[in-house]
Amino acid sequence: QVHVVESGGGLVQPGGSLRLSCAASGSIFRFNTMGWYRQAPGKQRELVAAITSGGSTNYADSVKGRFTISRDNAKVTVYLQMNSLKPEDTAVYYCNANGLAYGGSDFRSWGQGTQVTVSS
């Protein structure tokens, strides 16, 4: 079993910053990609940022220059530093991790989400 837990969400004013953390635990032999997704009410879940085990990153156009994803491979942990937050960033942010578990099984796990609210 691979479990993913997010933390760091909260209420912040426009222009403020938040740092989200995502920790994966369990029988992880290797992870391929970890990423942050977000979903606002009535909208589809969308990719915000992703990072591979090799350090390659990908960002949604809407967050480029404002958000930064980083990782600690030893801990299978990723972070999302969010700066210059806008009201349209308001959503539940979910962490996803996928890779290979001990025993040869693939895994793809989602966290329960953390609420980010940007409002004055």
mmCIF file with all atom_site columns, all heavy atoms in Angstrom, residues 80-103:
data_model
loop_
_atom_site.group_PDB
_atom_site.id
_atom_site.type_symbol
_atom_site.label_atom_id
_atom_site.label_alt_id
_atom_site.label_comp_id
_atom_site.label_asym_id
_atom_site.label_entity_id
_atom_site.label_seq_id
_atom_site.pdbx_PDB_ins_code
_atom_site.Cartn_x
_atom_site.Cartn_y
_atom_site.Cartn_z
_atom_site.occupancy
_atom_site.B_iso_or_equiv
_atom_site.pdbx_formal_charge
_atom_site.auth_seq_id
_atom_site.auth_comp_id
_atom_site.auth_asym_id
_atom_site.auth_atom_id
_atom_site.pdbx_PDB_model_num
ATOM 1   N N   . LEU A 1 80  ? 5.252   22.358 -3.168  1.00 0.00 ? 80  LEU A N   1
ATOM 2   C CA  . LEU A 1 80  ? 4.774   23.334 -4.130  1.00 0.00 ? 80  LEU A CA  1
ATOM 3   C C   . LEU A 1 80  ? 4.787   24.696 -3.464  1.00 0.00 ? 80  LEU A C   1
ATOM 4   O O   . LEU A 1 80  ? 3.966   24.972 -2.589  1.00 0.00 ? 80  LEU A O   1
ATOM 5   C CB  . LEU A 1 80  ? 3.364   22.994 -4.621  1.00 0.00 ? 80  LEU A CB  1
ATOM 6   C CG  . LEU A 1 80  ? 2.827   23.878 -5.745  1.00 0.00 ? 80  LEU A CG  1
ATOM 7   C CD1 . LEU A 1 80  ? 3.619   23.644 -7.036  1.00 0.00 ? 80  LEU A CD1 1
ATOM 8   C CD2 . LEU A 1 80  ? 1.342   23.612 -5.987  1.00 0.00 ? 80  LEU A CD2 1
ATOM 9   N N   . GLN A 1 81  ? 5.746   25.524 -3.860  1.00 0.00 ? 81  GLN A N   1
ATOM 10  C CA  . GLN A 1 81  ? 5.813   26.890 -3.372  1.00 0.00 ? 81  GLN A CA  1
ATOM 11  C C   . GLN A 1 81  ? 4.957   27.759 -4.271  1.00 0.00 ? 81  GLN A C   1
ATOM 12  O O   . GLN A 1 81  ? 5.212   27.852 -5.476  1.00 0.00 ? 81  GLN A O   1
ATOM 13  C CB  . GLN A 1 81  ? 7.260   27.387 -3.365  1.00 0.00 ? 81  GLN A CB  1
ATOM 14  C CG  . GLN A 1 81  ? 7.424   28.828 -2.885  1.00 0.00 ? 81  GLN A CG  1
ATOM 15  C CD  . GLN A 1 81  ? 7.058   29.001 -1.433  1.00 0.00 ? 81  GLN A CD  1
ATOM 16  O OE1 . GLN A 1 81  ? 7.491   28.222 -0.583  1.00 0.00 ? 81  GLN A OE1 1
ATOM 17  N NE2 . GLN A 1 81  ? 6.246   30.014 -1.137  1.00 0.00 ? 81  GLN A NE2 1
ATOM 18  N N   . MET A 1 82  ? 3.951   28.381 -3.701  1.00 0.00 ? 82  MET A N   1
ATOM 19  C CA  . MET A 1 82  ? 3.005   29.183 -4.459  1.00 0.00 ? 82  MET A CA  1
ATOM 20  C C   . MET A 1 82  ? 3.144   30.638 -4.041  1.00 0.00 ? 82  MET A C   1
ATOM 21  O O   . MET A 1 82  ? 2.892   30.986 -2.887  1.00 0.00 ? 82  MET A O   1
ATOM 22  C CB  . MET A 1 82  ? 1.572   28.694 -4.238  1.00 0.00 ? 82  MET A CB  1
ATOM 23  C CG  . MET A 1 82  ? 1.369   27.215 -4.552  1.00 0.00 ? 82  MET A CG  1
ATOM 24  S SD  . MET A 1 82  ? -0.369  26.704 -4.421  1.00 0.00 ? 82  MET A SD  1
ATOM 25  C CE  . MET A 1 82  ? -0.617  26.888 -2.651  1.00 0.00 ? 82  MET A CE  1
ATOM 26  N N   . ASN A 1 83  ? 3.548   31.474 -4.976  1.00 0.00 ? 83  ASN A N   1
ATOM 27  C CA  . ASN A 1 83  ? 3.704   32.898 -4.738  1.00 0.00 ? 83  ASN A CA  1
ATOM 28  C C   . ASN A 1 83  ? 2.741   33.685 -5.611  1.00 0.00 ? 83  ASN A C   1
ATOM 29  O O   . ASN A 1 83  ? 2.218   33.177 -6.605  1.00 0.00 ? 83  ASN A O   1
ATOM 30  C CB  . ASN A 1 83  ? 5.142   33.342 -5.028  1.00 0.00 ? 83  ASN A CB  1
ATOM 31  C CG  . ASN A 1 83  ? 6.171   32.667 -4.153  1.00 0.00 ? 83  ASN A CG  1
ATOM 32  O OD1 . ASN A 1 83  ? 5.925   32.412 -2.971  1.00 0.00 ? 83  ASN A OD1 1
ATOM 33  N ND2 . ASN A 1 83  ? 7.338   32.385 -4.718  1.00 0.00 ? 83  ASN A ND2 1
ATOM 34  N N   . SER A 1 84  ? 2.535   34.933 -5.252  1.00 0.00 ? 84  SER A N   1
ATOM 35  C CA  . SER A 1 84  ? 1.658   35.822 -6.016  1.00 0.00 ? 84  SER A CA  1
ATOM 36  C C   . SER A 1 84  ? 0.309   35.171 -6.293  1.00 0.00 ? 84  SER A C   1
ATOM 37  O O   . SER A 1 84  ? -0.192  35.170 -7.419  1.00 0.00 ? 84  SER A O   1
ATOM 38  C CB  . SER A 1 84  ? 2.332   36.235 -7.329  1.00 0.00 ? 84  SER A CB  1
ATOM 39  O OG  . SER A 1 84  ? 3.564   36.878 -7.091  1.00 0.00 ? 84  SER A OG  1
ATOM 40  N N   . LEU A 1 85  ? -0.281  34.624 -5.261  1.00 0.00 ? 85  LEU A N   1
ATOM 41  C CA  . LEU A 1 85  ? -1.532  33.889 -5.418  1.00 0.00 ? 85  LEU A CA  1
ATOM 42  C C   . LEU A 1 85  ? -2.673  34.794 -5.864  1.00 0.00 ? 85  LEU A C   1
ATOM 43  O O   . LEU A 1 85  ? -2.761  35.957 -5.458  1.00 0.00 ? 85  LEU A O   1
ATOM 44  C CB  . LEU A 1 85  ? -1.891  33.182 -4.119  1.00 0.00 ? 85  LEU A CB  1
ATOM 45  C CG  . LEU A 1 85  ? -1.079  31.906 -3.849  1.00 0.00 ? 85  LEU A CG  1
ATOM 46  C CD1 . LEU A 1 85  ? -1.155  31.519 -2.380  1.00 0.00 ? 85  LEU A CD1 1
ATOM 47  C CD2 . LEU A 1 85  ? -1.594  30.765 -4.726  1.00 0.00 ? 85  LEU A CD2 1
ATOM 48  N N   . LYS A 1 86  ? -3.541  34.229 -6.690  1.00 0.00 ? 86  LYS A N   1
ATOM 49  C CA  . LYS A 1 86  ? -4.687  34.925 -7.237  1.00 0.00 ? 86  LYS A CA  1
ATOM 50  C C   . LYS A 1 86  ? -5.970  34.220 -6.809  1.00 0.00 ? 86  LYS A C   1
ATOM 51  O O   . LYS A 1 86  ? -5.953  33.026 -6.516  1.00 0.00 ? 86  LYS A O   1
ATOM 52  C CB  . LYS A 1 86  ? -4.620  34.949 -8.770  1.00 0.00 ? 86  LYS A CB  1
ATOM 53  C CG  . LYS A 1 86  ? -3.346  35.550 -9.341  1.00 0.00 ? 86  LYS A CG  1
ATOM 54  C CD  . LYS A 1 86  ? -3.319  35.407 -10.852 1.00 0.00 ? 86  LYS A CD  1
ATOM 55  C CE  . LYS A 1 86  ? -2.055  35.987 -11.444 1.00 0.00 ? 86  LYS A CE  1
ATOM 56  N NZ  . LYS A 1 86  ? -2.020  35.836 -12.923 1.00 0.00 ? 86  LYS A NZ  1
ATOM 57  N N   . PRO A 1 87  ? -7.099  34.930 -6.791  1.00 0.00 ? 87  PRO A N   1
ATOM 58  C CA  . PRO A 1 87  ? -8.364  34.283 -6.435  1.00 0.00 ? 87  PRO A CA  1
ATOM 59  C C   . PRO A 1 87  ? -8.665  33.063 -7.299  1.00 0.00 ? 87  PRO A C   1
ATOM 60  O O   . PRO A 1 87  ? -9.251  32.093 -6.797  1.00 0.00 ? 87  PRO A O   1
ATOM 61  C CB  . PRO A 1 87  ? -9.400  35.390 -6.654  1.00 0.00 ? 87  PRO A CB  1
ATOM 62  C CG  . PRO A 1 87  ? -8.647  36.644 -6.370  1.00 0.00 ? 87  PRO A CG  1
ATOM 63  C CD  . PRO A 1 87  ? -7.265  36.397 -6.933  1.00 0.00 ? 87  PRO A CD  1
ATOM 64  N N   . GLU A 1 88  ? -8.275  33.080 -8.561  1.00 0.00 ? 88  GLU A N   1
ATOM 65  C CA  . GLU A 1 88  ? -8.533  31.948 -9.433  1.00 0.00 ? 88  GLU A CA  1
ATOM 66  C C   . GLU A 1 88  ? -7.701  30.717 -9.095  1.00 0.00 ? 88  GLU A C   1
ATOM 67  O O   . GLU A 1 88  ? -7.912  29.644 -9.665  1.00 0.00 ? 88  GLU A O   1
ATOM 68  C CB  . GLU A 1 88  ? -8.330  32.322 -10.915 1.00 0.00 ? 88  GLU A CB  1
ATOM 69  C CG  . GLU A 1 88  ? -7.003  32.994 -11.207 1.00 0.00 ? 88  GLU A CG  1
ATOM 70  C CD  . GLU A 1 88  ? -7.113  34.508 -11.257 1.00 0.00 ? 88  GLU A CD  1
ATOM 71  O OE1 . GLU A 1 88  ? -7.777  35.092 -10.377 1.00 0.00 ? 88  GLU A OE1 1
ATOM 72  O OE2 . GLU A 1 88  ? -6.530  35.111 -12.183 1.00 0.00 ? 88  GLU A OE2 1
ATOM 73  N N   . ASP A 1 89  ? -6.753  30.855 -8.180  1.00 0.00 ? 89  ASP A N   1
ATOM 74  C CA  . ASP A 1 89  ? -6.001  29.707 -7.695  1.00 0.00 ? 89  ASP A CA  1
ATOM 75  C C   . ASP A 1 89  ? -6.772  28.927 -6.636  1.00 0.00 ? 89  ASP A C   1
ATOM 76  O O   . ASP A 1 89  ? -6.330  27.845 -6.226  1.00 0.00 ? 89  ASP A O   1
ATOM 77  C CB  . ASP A 1 89  ? -4.657  30.142 -7.108  1.00 0.00 ? 89  ASP A CB  1
ATOM 78  C CG  . ASP A 1 89  ? -3.720  30.738 -8.143  1.00 0.00 ? 89  ASP A CG  1
ATOM 79  O OD1 . ASP A 1 89  ? -3.644  30.194 -9.267  1.00 0.00 ? 89  ASP A OD1 1
ATOM 80  O OD2 . ASP A 1 89  ? -3.051  31.743 -7.827  1.00 0.00 ? 89  ASP A OD2 1
ATOM 81  N N   . THR A 1 90  ? -7.887  29.463 -6.184  1.00 0.00 ? 90  THR A N   1
ATOM 82  C CA  . THR A 1 90  ? -8.691  28.799 -5.167  1.00 0.00 ? 90  THR A CA  1
ATOM 83  C C   . THR A 1 90  ? -9.182  27.448 -5.674  1.00 0.00 ? 90  THR A C   1
ATOM 84  O O   . THR A 1 90  ? -9.821  27.357 -6.724  1.00 0.00 ? 90  THR A O   1
ATOM 85  C CB  . THR A 1 90  ? -9.883  29.668 -4.770  1.00 0.00 ? 90  THR A CB  1
ATOM 86  O OG1 . THR A 1 90  ? -9.416  30.879 -4.164  1.00 0.00 ? 90  THR A OG1 1
ATOM 87  C CG2 . THR A 1 90  ? -10.782 28.942 -3.781  1.00 0.00 ? 90  THR A CG2 1
ATOM 88  N N   . ALA A 1 91  ? -8.880  26.399 -4.934  1.00 0.00 ? 91  ALA A N   1
ATOM 89  C CA  . ALA A 1 91  ? -9.249  25.042 -5.324  1.00 0.00 ? 91  ALA A CA  1
ATOM 90  C C   . ALA A 1 91  ? -8.798  24.080 -4.244  1.00 0.00 ? 91  ALA A C   1
ATOM 91  O O   . ALA A 1 91  ? -8.075  24.455 -3.318  1.00 0.00 ? 91  ALA A O   1
ATOM 92  C CB  . ALA A 1 91  ? -8.596  24.665 -6.659  1.00 0.00 ? 91  ALA A CB  1
ATOM 93  N N   . VAL A 1 92  ? -9.228  22.842 -4.380  1.00 0.00 ? 92  VAL A N   1
ATOM 94  C CA  . VAL A 1 92  ? -8.652  21.772 -3.591  1.00 0.00 ? 92  VAL A CA  1
ATOM 95  C C   . VAL A 1 92  ? -7.460  21.234 -4.364  1.00 0.00 ? 92  VAL A C   1
ATOM 96  O O   . VAL A 1 92  ? -7.581  20.891 -5.545  1.00 0.00 ? 92  VAL A O   1
ATOM 97  C CB  . VAL A 1 92  ? -9.662  20.641 -3.316  1.00 0.00 ? 92  VAL A CB  1
ATOM 98  C CG1 . VAL A 1 92  ? -8.987  19.507 -2.534  1.00 0.00 ? 92  VAL A CG1 1
ATOM 99  C CG2 . VAL A 1 92  ? -10.857 21.175 -2.541  1.00 0.00 ? 92  VAL A CG2 1
ATOM 100 N N   . TYR A 1 93  ? -6.330  21.189 -3.718  1.00 0.00 ? 93  TYR A N   1
ATOM 101 C CA  . TYR A 1 93  ? -5.106  20.732 -4.358  1.00 0.00 ? 93  TYR A CA  1
ATOM 102 C C   . TYR A 1 93  ? -4.820  19.294 -3.949  1.00 0.00 ? 93  TYR A C   1
ATOM 103 O O   . TYR A 1 93  ? -4.798  18.968 -2.764  1.00 0.00 ? 93  TYR A O   1
ATOM 104 C CB  . TYR A 1 93  ? -3.925  21.637 -3.979  1.00 0.00 ? 93  TYR A CB  1
ATOM 105 C CG  . TYR A 1 93  ? -3.948  22.958 -4.706  1.00 0.00 ? 93  TYR A CG  1
ATOM 106 C CD1 . TYR A 1 93  ? -4.918  23.904 -4.434  1.00 0.00 ? 93  TYR A CD1 1
ATOM 107 C CD2 . TYR A 1 93  ? -2.995  23.248 -5.687  1.00 0.00 ? 93  TYR A CD2 1
ATOM 108 C CE1 . TYR A 1 93  ? -4.960  25.113 -5.123  1.00 0.00 ? 93  TYR A CE1 1
ATOM 109 C CE2 . TYR A 1 93  ? -3.021  24.448 -6.372  1.00 0.00 ? 93  TYR A CE2 1
ATOM 110 C CZ  . TYR A 1 93  ? -4.005  25.381 -6.087  1.00 0.00 ? 93  TYR A CZ  1
ATOM 111 O OH  . TYR A 1 93  ? -4.030  26.585 -6.765  1.00 0.00 ? 93  TYR A OH  1
ATOM 112 N N   . TYR A 1 94  ? -4.606  18.453 -4.946  1.00 0.00 ? 94  TYR A N   1
ATOM 113 C CA  . TYR A 1 94  ? -4.362  17.038 -4.731  1.00 0.00 ? 94  TYR A CA  1
ATOM 114 C C   . TYR A 1 94  ? -2.964  16.658 -5.194  1.00 0.00 ? 94  TYR A C   1
ATOM 115 O O   . TYR A 1 94  ? -2.489  17.142 -6.223  1.00 0.00 ? 94  TYR A O   1
ATOM 116 C CB  . TYR A 1 94  ? -5.360  16.179 -5.513  1.00 0.00 ? 94  TYR A CB  1
ATOM 117 C CG  . TYR A 1 94  ? -6.803  16.353 -5.101  1.00 0.00 ? 94  TYR A CG  1
ATOM 118 C CD1 . TYR A 1 94  ? -7.606  17.298 -5.725  1.00 0.00 ? 94  TYR A CD1 1
ATOM 119 C CD2 . TYR A 1 94  ? -7.365  15.553 -4.112  1.00 0.00 ? 94  TYR A CD2 1
ATOM 120 C CE1 . TYR A 1 94  ? -8.933  17.453 -5.365  1.00 0.00 ? 94  TYR A CE1 1
ATOM 121 C CE2 . TYR A 1 94  ? -8.692  15.703 -3.751  1.00 0.00 ? 94  TYR A CE2 1
ATOM 122 C CZ  . TYR A 1 94  ? -9.471  16.654 -4.381  1.00 0.00 ? 94  TYR A CZ  1
ATOM 123 O OH  . TYR A 1 94  ? -10.793 16.796 -4.018  1.00 0.00 ? 94  TYR A OH  1
ATOM 124 N N   . CYS A 1 95  ? -2.352  15.768 -4.461  1.00 0.00 ? 95  CYS A N   1
ATOM 125 C CA  . CYS A 1 95  ? -1.055  15.236 -4.837  1.00 0.00 ? 95  CYS A CA  1
ATOM 126 C C   . CYS A 1 95  ? -1.225  13.835 -5.416  1.00 0.00 ? 95  CYS A C   1
ATOM 127 O O   . CYS A 1 95  ? -2.019  13.036 -4.913  1.00 0.00 ? 95  CYS A O   1
ATOM 128 C CB  . CYS A 1 95  ? -0.128  15.183 -3.623  1.00 0.00 ? 95  CYS A CB  1
ATOM 129 S SG  . CYS A 1 95  ? 1.549   14.598 -3.992  1.00 0.00 ? 95  CYS A SG  1
ATOM 130 N N   . ASN A 1 96  ? -0.499  13.555 -6.471  1.00 0.00 ? 96  ASN A N   1
ATOM 131 C CA  . ASN A 1 96  ? -0.503  12.245 -7.097  1.00 0.00 ? 96  ASN A CA  1
ATOM 132 C C   . ASN A 1 96  ? 0.918   11.710 -7.180  1.00 0.00 ? 96  ASN A C   1
ATOM 133 O O   . ASN A 1 96  ? 1.846   12.449 -7.498  1.00 0.00 ? 96  ASN A O   1
ATOM 134 C CB  . ASN A 1 96  ? -1.110  12.317 -8.497  1.00 0.00 ? 96  ASN A CB  1
ATOM 135 C CG  . ASN A 1 96  ? -0.997  11.006 -9.252  1.00 0.00 ? 96  ASN A CG  1
ATOM 136 O OD1 . ASN A 1 96  ? -0.062  10.784 -10.021 1.00 0.00 ? 96  ASN A OD1 1
ATOM 137 N ND2 . ASN A 1 96  ? -1.959  10.123 -9.022  1.00 0.00 ? 96  ASN A ND2 1
ATOM 138 N N   . ALA A 1 97  ? 1.063   10.435 -6.894  1.00 0.00 ? 97  ALA A N   1
ATOM 139 C CA  . ALA A 1 97  ? 2.351   9.782  -7.005  1.00 0.00 ? 97  ALA A CA  1
ATOM 140 C C   . ALA A 1 97  ? 2.179   8.469  -7.746  1.00 0.00 ? 97  ALA A C   1
ATOM 141 O O   . ALA A 1 97  ? 1.208   7.743  -7.521  1.00 0.00 ? 97  ALA A O   1
ATOM 142 C CB  . ALA A 1 97  ? 2.955   9.531  -5.626  1.00 0.00 ? 97  ALA A CB  1
ATOM 143 N N   . ASN A 1 98  ? 3.101   8.180  -8.635  1.00 0.00 ? 98  ASN A N   1
ATOM 144 C CA  . ASN A 1 98  ? 3.061   6.897  -9.330  1.00 0.00 ? 98  ASN A CA  1
ATOM 145 C C   . ASN A 1 98  ? 4.474   6.358  -9.488  1.00 0.00 ? 98  ASN A C   1
ATOM 146 O O   . ASN A 1 98  ? 5.449   7.103  -9.517  1.00 0.00 ? 98  ASN A O   1
ATOM 147 C CB  . ASN A 1 98  ? 2.362   7.006  -10.691 1.00 0.00 ? 98  ASN A CB  1
ATOM 148 C CG  . ASN A 1 98  ? 3.156   7.827  -11.695 1.00 0.00 ? 98  ASN A CG  1
ATOM 149 O OD1 . ASN A 1 98  ? 4.075   7.329  -12.339 1.00 0.00 ? 98  ASN A OD1 1
ATOM 150 N ND2 . ASN A 1 98  ? 2.785   9.104  -11.842 1.00 0.00 ? 98  ASN A ND2 1
ATOM 151 N N   . GLY A 1 99  ? 4.547   5.044  -9.587  1.00 0.00 ? 99  GLY A N   1
ATOM 152 C CA  . GLY A 1 99  ? 5.848   4.412  -9.727  1.00 0.00 ? 99  GLY A CA  1
ATOM 153 C C   . GLY A 1 99  ? 5.758   2.915  -9.542  1.00 0.00 ? 99  GLY A C   1
ATOM 154 O O   . GLY A 1 99  ? 4.754   2.286  -9.893  1.00 0.00 ? 99  GLY A O   1
ATOM 155 N N   . LEU A 1 100 ? 6.814   2.354  -8.972  1.00 0.00 ? 100 LEU A N   1
ATOM 156 C CA  . LEU A 1 100 ? 6.923   0.914  -8.794  1.00 0.00 ? 100 LEU A CA  1
ATOM 157 C C   . LEU A 1 100 ? 7.114   0.589  -7.326  1.00 0.00 ? 100 LEU A C   1
ATOM 158 O O   . LEU A 1 100 ? 7.994   1.147  -6.669  1.00 0.00 ? 100 LEU A O   1
ATOM 159 C CB  . LEU A 1 100 ? 8.104   0.374  -9.610  1.00 0.00 ? 100 LEU A CB  1
ATOM 160 C CG  . LEU A 1 100 ? 8.300   -1.131 -9.663  1.00 0.00 ? 100 LEU A CG  1
ATOM 161 C CD1 . LEU A 1 100 ? 7.156   -1.779 -10.442 1.00 0.00 ? 100 LEU A CD1 1
ATOM 162 C CD2 . LEU A 1 100 ? 9.632   -1.464 -10.311 1.00 0.00 ? 100 LEU A CD2 1
ATOM 163 N N   . ALA A 1 101 ? 6.291   -0.313 -6.815  1.00 0.00 ? 101 ALA A N   1
ATOM 164 C CA  . ALA A 1 101 ? 6.395   -0.755 -5.433  1.00 0.00 ? 101 ALA A CA  1
ATOM 165 C C   . ALA A 1 101 ? 7.262   -2.007 -5.336  1.00 0.00 ? 101 ALA A C   1
ATOM 166 O O   . ALA A 1 101 ? 7.487   -2.698 -6.335  1.00 0.00 ? 101 ALA A O   1
ATOM 167 C CB  . ALA A 1 101 ? 5.011   -1.039 -4.859  1.00 0.00 ? 101 ALA A CB  1
ATOM 168 N N   . TYR A 1 102 ? 7.743   -2.281 -4.129  1.00 0.00 ? 102 TYR A N   1
ATOM 169 C CA  . TYR A 1 102 ? 8.455   -3.537 -3.904  1.00 0.00 ? 102 TYR A CA  1
ATOM 170 C C   . TYR A 1 102 ? 7.534   -4.700 -4.246  1.00 0.00 ? 102 TYR A C   1
ATOM 171 O O   . TYR A 1 102 ? 6.355   -4.693 -3.916  1.00 0.00 ? 102 TYR A O   1
ATOM 172 C CB  . TYR A 1 102 ? 8.908   -3.649 -2.451  1.00 0.00 ? 102 TYR A CB  1
ATOM 173 C CG  . TYR A 1 102 ? 10.073  -2.761 -2.112  1.00 0.00 ? 102 TYR A CG  1
ATOM 174 C CD1 . TYR A 1 102 ? 9.893   -1.621 -1.333  1.00 0.00 ? 102 TYR A CD1 1
ATOM 175 C CD2 . TYR A 1 102 ? 11.358  -3.058 -2.558  1.00 0.00 ? 102 TYR A CD2 1
ATOM 176 C CE1 . TYR A 1 102 ? 10.962  -0.803 -1.018  1.00 0.00 ? 102 TYR A CE1 1
ATOM 177 C CE2 . TYR A 1 102 ? 12.426  -2.239 -2.248  1.00 0.00 ? 102 TYR A CE2 1
ATOM 178 C CZ  . TYR A 1 102 ? 12.228  -1.117 -1.480  1.00 0.00 ? 102 TYR A CZ  1
ATOM 179 O OH  . TYR A 1 102 ? 13.295  -0.298 -1.169  1.00 0.00 ? 102 TYR A OH  1
ATOM 180 N N   . GLY A 1 103 ? 8.077   -5.688 -4.931  1.00 0.00 ? 103 GLY A N   1
ATOM 181 C CA  . GLY A 1 103 ? 7.276   -6.805 -5.389  1.00 0.00 ? 103 GLY A CA  1
ATOM 182 C C   . GLY A 1 103 ? 6.912   -6.703 -6.853  1.00 0.00 ? 103 GLY A C   1
ATOM 183 O O   . GLY A 1 103 ? 6.355   -7.648 -7.421  1.00 0.00 ? 103 GLY A O   1
#
